[in-house]
Amino acid sequence: MPPPPPDGEARGLGARGTARLAAVQALYQMDLAQTDAAAVIGQFTLHRFGHEVDGAYYDRADEPLFRDLVLGVVRAQLAVDPLIAGNLAKGWKLARIDSIIRAILRAGAYELKERHDIPARVIINEYVDVAHAFFGGDEPGVVNGVLDAVARQVRAKDFTSPAHG
């Protein structure tokens, strides 16, 4: 089943949330169709954001964030995938999980690892919202658990409270 259109504004995601949702779709598209990152980025920025496609309106997105996420995941995949794989439930393999979940986890893990200008908890919550856009079952909880574990590895200081006194 193809992912739903990036209806970020209707979901209350805003421009950054819409960029994350679209990045997940772009990564999914690249994974399934073996499409080049530059071609997918061009397709989204020129023909989807702010346009109606097949009866679905694609909201405006934070395009620099969208580009950073797509290109960053491609560039850092060899570092990001082991982070994710090491935090999956026992017996789960990254290559065997749903391709949309894999795209969500890759984008989220990349952002946690590389985008220190955005608080870890914000990133996790945004990707849980993205997971809710695609799934109604336990999948958002899986995304939350894996990204929380990744964040505690790569951004431990974001989860420690300062000493009082």
Side-chain angles (χ1 to χ4, degrees):
M1 173 172 79
D7 188 12
E9 290 301 320
R11 295 181 186 283
L13 297 177
R16 287 188 138 208
T18 298
R20 289 179 177 102
L21 182 63
V24 166
Q25 286 189 298
L27 293 168
Y28 171 85
Q29 181 176 330
M30 290 167 53
D31 193 27
L32 259 48
Q34 299 299 304
T35 310
D36 174 73
V40 172
I41 290 169
Q43 179 186 34
F44 273 81
T45 56
L46 295 174
H47 304 292
R48 291 193 187 185
F49 296 143
H51 295 89
E52 186 175 325
V53 179
D54 296 329
Y57 181 74
Y58 284 69
D59 296 315
R60 285 266 165 229
D62 179 333
E63 291 182 26
L65 178 61
F66 168 74
R67 273 190 300 282
D68 178 53
L69 293 172
V70 174
L71 293 173
V73 167
V74 170
R75 184 182 66 249
Q77 190 170 333
L78 292 176
V80 167
D81 281 2
L83 275 174
I84 298 165
N87 289 293
L88 292 174
K90 186 176 172 116
W92 286 34
K93 303 282 185 218
L94 184 59
R96 307 270 307 166
I97 64 173
D98 180 90
S99 56
I100 296 171
I101 296 282
R102 190 169 48 245
I104 293 169
L105 293 175
R106 282 177 172 158
Y110 163 76
E111 200 168 343
L112 286 165
K113 187 174 179 330
E114 301 295 332
R115 296 295 307 253
H116 292 270
D117 57 315
I118 304 167
R121 286 184 175 94
V122 170
I123 294 168
I124 294 166
N125 288 335
E126 289 275 329
Y127 285 102
V128 169
D129 287 345
V130 169
H132 279 292
F134 292 102
F135 302 100
D138 296 335
E139 294 88 347
V142 170
V143 168
N144 184 57
V146 172
L147 291 181
D148 183 72
V150 167
R152 289 174 188 279
Q153 279 183 261
V154 300
R155 309 259 298 263
K157 66 179 174 58
D158 288 4
F159 293 90
T160 57
S161 60
H164 293 20

